[in-house]
Amino acid sequence: MRTTRRALLAGTAAALAAPQIAPAQEAPGVTATEIRIGSTNALSGPASAYSVITKGLAAMFRRVNDQGGIAGRQINFIAYDDGYQPPRTLEQTRRLVEQDRVAFLFNQLGTPTNSAIHRYVNQRKIPHLFLATGADKWANPREFPWTIGWQPSYRTEAQIYAKYLLEQKPDARLGLLYQNDDFGKDYVNGVRDVLGARFDAMVKLASHEATDPTIDSQIVSLQSAGCDALICGIIPRFAAQAIRRVFDLGWKPMMFMTNVSVSVGTVMQPAGAEKGIGLLTSDYRKDQSDPAWVNDPGMNEWRDFMRRYVPDGELGDNNYTYAYGVGSTMLQVLKQCGNNFSRENVMRQATDIAPMEIATLLPGVKVQSQPNNYNVIRQMQLQRWNGRAWERFGGVIEGAHV
């Protein structure tokens, strides 16, 4: 199959007088003037709302290059389109590794897509860093030591929703709408963790495929089953559909949406801002729509970056604040590497990050990692949509294996 190279290159200028580096065989993708980083994303297809993450990351690497690069080297960020299709992810990843000879892989999008390359990259001992997916499986250093996630676990997120639901509506009949893959099933598993033996009696399940045109029939079936609460583990395209359909049906369940599908710009506004009033989620990022951050130094830093490097970017799209957070984490790892960019040292530094604050993350939420704990972000806060913005409530909740 012919694939189109949609590479986003973050600079090619060579730095002068770079210091000595590890031998080439120890540091593929690294020269005296360049570090090559590879990624895949849904630049097209059903999950293309996430493509702006790659756009944001490319801009971050351009800024770094403008400031002189990392250890005298320019970052060459190569991102290919996989259309959110696992076979294409494998094809494009092999291209990055075997043809482009990237030093490592960074922030590849999607649970089913990363699952397609999980064994391949670990067998080849290629750092597979800070994936753009919260599947619980990415924190498994014993079996997959070369893969590490970044955002909080979907399973833990679902546990938080189930616990809150039990506090507010202990006798609820819960509808659970999920994508039929490891992404969606983490929400099923998280709810089951909390409900235990009550799960079968309390929960009505409805699944869908990422390639389905709509989820209307699933929403109608959950309403017909008498559900008065709804948890959705679905991507943005279907999240907007779900919010609209629930509203149009006049159905008023206590409704929770996965935090990867609550962007104001790509979900709430397309759904109809007034149609999502009362929707619940959790997050670890600051949101541009929250007036609390109007004069926040971290968000001002981010807004200045957006103005200079992504001037056409939609500030209401929280995928850009996500990109800034994960990009900042990656740059911290590269700084920790000193002048040794061997794959072994890159992985060592990625799994040894001292707790650190990031400009676009909520107060109390820190990035960290240890060799035996690959849960990089472990805190979240519940929030509710008021028709204009997300309102946070309650305290920051520890998010790893609660």
Side-chain angles (χ1 to χ4, degrees):
M1 180 177 68
R2 181 178 178 272
T3 59
T4 301
R5 174 169 178 159
R6 301 181 66 172
L8 296 163
L9 302 180
T12 56
L16 299 174
Q20 292 295 309
I21 62 170
Q25 68 270 21
E26 295 178 22
V30 181
T31 70
T33 59
E34 180 186 65
I35 302 172
R36 284 193 299 280
I37 301 173
S39 189
T40 56
N41 195 336
L43 305 180
S44 64
S48 60
Y50 295 125
S51 63
V52 299
I53 296 172
T54 297
K55 183 177 179 180
L57 291 174
M60 290 194 75
F61 292 134
R62 274 199 308 277
R63 182 178 67 172
V64 169
N65 289 340
D66 288 348
Q67 295 169 348
I70 297 288
R73 298 170 180 82
Q74 297 282 288
I75 295 175
N76 183 350
F77 181 52
I78 306 170
Y80 290 139
D81 184 15
D82 65 10
Y84 202 63
Q85 298 174 33
R88 285 187 65 189
T89 310
L90 179 57
E91 176 187 351
Q92 301 290 46
T93 300
R94 290 180 67 106
R95 182 179 179 187
L96 287 165
V97 170
E98 297 168 23
Q99 295 181 33
D100 297 311
R101 298 279 292 164
V102 297
F104 56 87
L105 300 164
F106 167 55
N107 200 239
Q108 291 177 273
L109 177 99
T111 302
T113 43
N114 276 287
S115 295
I117 62 173
H118 204 189
R119 292 195 179 277
Y120 169 78
V121 296
N122 276 268
Q123 287 169 352
R124 287 178 167 256
K125 298 183 178 180
I126 299 160
H128 184 211
L129 303 180
F130 309 135
L131 281 53
T133 151
D136 208 48
K137 66 196 288 185
W138 312 131
N140 185 4
R142 296 186 70 177
E143 289 187 56
F144 296 98
W146 294 86
T147 295
I148 185 169
W150 186 74
Q151 66 209 61
S153 155
Y154 299 139
R155 184 169 182 165
T156 298
E157 183 188 356
Q159 292 168 358
I160 289 170
Y161 298 154
K163 287 183 176 182
Y164 182 74
L165 176 63
L166 286 180
E167 290 172 6
Q168 302 297 313
K169 298 182 69 140
D171 298 321
R173 171 72 165 155
L174 171 63
L176 210 169
L177 174 61
Y178 66 99
Q179 187 165 295
N180 187 29
D181 57 22
D182 285 344
F183 159 52
K185 289 173 185 175
D186 265 350
Y187 287 88
V188 178
N189 292 334
V191 172
R192 193 185 296 275
D193 291 339
V194 173
L195 299 185
R198 294 177 290 174
F199 182 90
D200 291 337
M202 288 184 66
V203 180
K204 170 72 173 175
L205 296 173
S207 68
H208 79 96
E209 304 299 326
T211 52
D212 289 347
T214 77
I215 42 78
D216 282 2
S217 62
Q218 288 89 337
I219 293 290
V220 170
S221 73
L222 293 173
Q223 183 199 30
S224 300
C227 296
D228 56 1
L230 176 63
I231 293 177
C232 299
I234 53 182
I235 61 177
R237 172 187 172 193
F238 298 111
Q241 289 183 17
I243 293 165
R244 260 197 315 269
R245 189 63 172 144
V246 166
F247 179 86
D248 292 346
L249 287 170
W251 184 24
K252 299 187 183 301
M254 178 181 282
M255 185 173 175
F256 300 83
M257 184 64 67
T258 166
N259 67 41
V260 299
S261 297
V262 294
S263 166
V264 176
T266 60
V267 175
M268 304 310 296
Q269 289 176 347
E274 75 289 351
K275 295 184 178 181
I277 292 174
L279 182 68
L280 297 160
T281 190
S282 62
D283 217 331
Y284 51 96
R285 298 161 293 189
K286 298 169 186 171
D287 194 288
Q288 167 70 9
S289 70
D290 187 338
W293 314 126
V294 170
N295 296 309
D296 177 69
M299 286 297 277
N300 283 340
E301 173 190 323
W302 171 75
R303 282 186 282 261
D304 180 66
F305 159 75
M306 292 292 289
R307 186 165 50 250
R308 292 169 183 267
Y309 284 91
V310 197
D312 61 339
E314 168 55 59
L315 295 183
D317 189 342
N318 65 8
N319 287 303
Y320 282 118
T321 51
Y322 170 93
Y324 200 83
V326 74
S328 298
T329 306
M330 186 70 255
L331 292 174
Q332 172 64 26
V333 168
L334 291 175
K335 290 171 186 172
Q336 287 180 202
C337 285
N339 197 41
N340 178 1
F341 298 100
S342 68
R343 286 173 171 168
E344 291 76 10
N345 193 47
V346 169
M347 199 69 219
R348 187 178 305 118
Q349 300 307 323
T351 57
D352 191 17
I353 304 170
M356 61 180 287
E357 296 182 348
I358 299 282
T360 55
L361 300 189
L362 290 173
V365 176
K366 297 182 186 298
V367 163
Q368 62 183 299
S369 62
Q370 294 88 32
N372 63 348
N373 190 340
Y374 281 20
N375 293 288
V376 177
I377 296 179
R378 305 169 191 176
Q379 302 90 17
M380 289 181 283
Q381 189 171 13
L382 286 166
Q383 52 188 30
R384 183 183 289 107
W385 180 250
N386 67 11
R388 300 177 308 279
W390 288 105
E391 293 181 341
R392 292 167 291 118
F393 64 94
V396 169
I397 304 165
E398 183 72 24
H401 305 296
V402 294

